[in-house]
């Protein structure tokens, strides 16, 4: 079983910055992909950014140029540096990790509990 714990959310004014962190723990053999998703009230959960083990990244068009995803493979941790924040970035941000666990060996697709990000205008 693989657990994810997010931190770093909070309240920030428009134009400000926040950094989210997500640490994975448990029976981790390999983490292939880590990412961030967000869900605003009454809306579906949407992709924000992903990063592979090798560092290849993808971003949603709404955050390109403002957000940056990175990871520390040695610490099984992924980060999301958010800048030039807008009120429409307000949402619960969820961390996701996909890979292979051991004991037993199987694939996993794990989610964190979410962290609230609120951007005031």
């Amino acid at each position: 079983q693989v657990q994810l714990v997010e931190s770093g959310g909070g309240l920030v004014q428009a134009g400000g910055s926040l950094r989210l962190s997500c640490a994975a723990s448990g029976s981790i053999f390999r983490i292939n992909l880590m990412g961030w998703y967000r869900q605003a009230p009454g809306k579906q959960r949407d992709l924000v950014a992903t990063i592979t083990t090798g560092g290849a990244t993808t971003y949603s068009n709404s955050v390109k140029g403002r957000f940056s995803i990175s990871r520390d493979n040695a610490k099984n941790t992924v980060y999301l540096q958010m800048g030039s924040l807008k009120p429409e970035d307000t949402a619960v941000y969820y961390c996701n990790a996909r890979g292979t666990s051991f004991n037993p060996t199987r694939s996993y697709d794990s989610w964190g509990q979410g962290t609230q990000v609120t951007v005031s205008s």
Side-chain angles (χ1 to χ4, degrees):
Q1 193 152 352
V2 176
Q3 298 83 36
L4 302 178
V5 178
E6 301 120 332
S7 61
L11 173 65
V12 65
Q13 289 188 328
S17 300
L18 277 177
R19 188 190 194 213
L20 306 182
S21 300
C22 172
S25 63
S27 302
I28 299 170
F29 175 70
R30 182 172 56 235
I31 305 177
N32 295 327
L33 188 72
M34 301 189 82
W36 291 94
Y37 293 72
R38 66 186 182 187
Q39 188 168 19
K43 296 188 176 181
Q44 66 181 19
R45 188 175 299 187
D46 291 327
L47 169 73
V48 176
T50 64
I51 185 167
T52 67
T53 305
T57 59
T58 61
Y59 295 92
S60 69
N61 288 334
S62 62
V63 306
K64 275 182 183 177
R66 300 188 298 122
F67 292 10
S68 177
I69 189 170
S70 61
R71 66 188 277 181
D72 184 331
N73 292 328
K75 296 181 178 179
N76 291 330
T77 299
V78 64
Y79 306 96
L80 185 68
Q81 180 67 47
M82 304 184 292
S84 302
L85 283 161
K86 306 174 182 179
E88 50 264 45
D89 293 318
T90 295
V92 177
Y93 283 68
Y94 295 91
C95 177
N96 173 258
R98 303 173 189 176
T100 306
S101 63
F102 63 88
N103 196 28
T105 300
R106 62 183 176 189
S107 298
Y108 64 85
D109 183 352
S110 298
W111 293 88
Q113 80 286 354
T115 184
Q116 178 71 46
V117 171
T118 303
V119 184
S120 63
S121 56

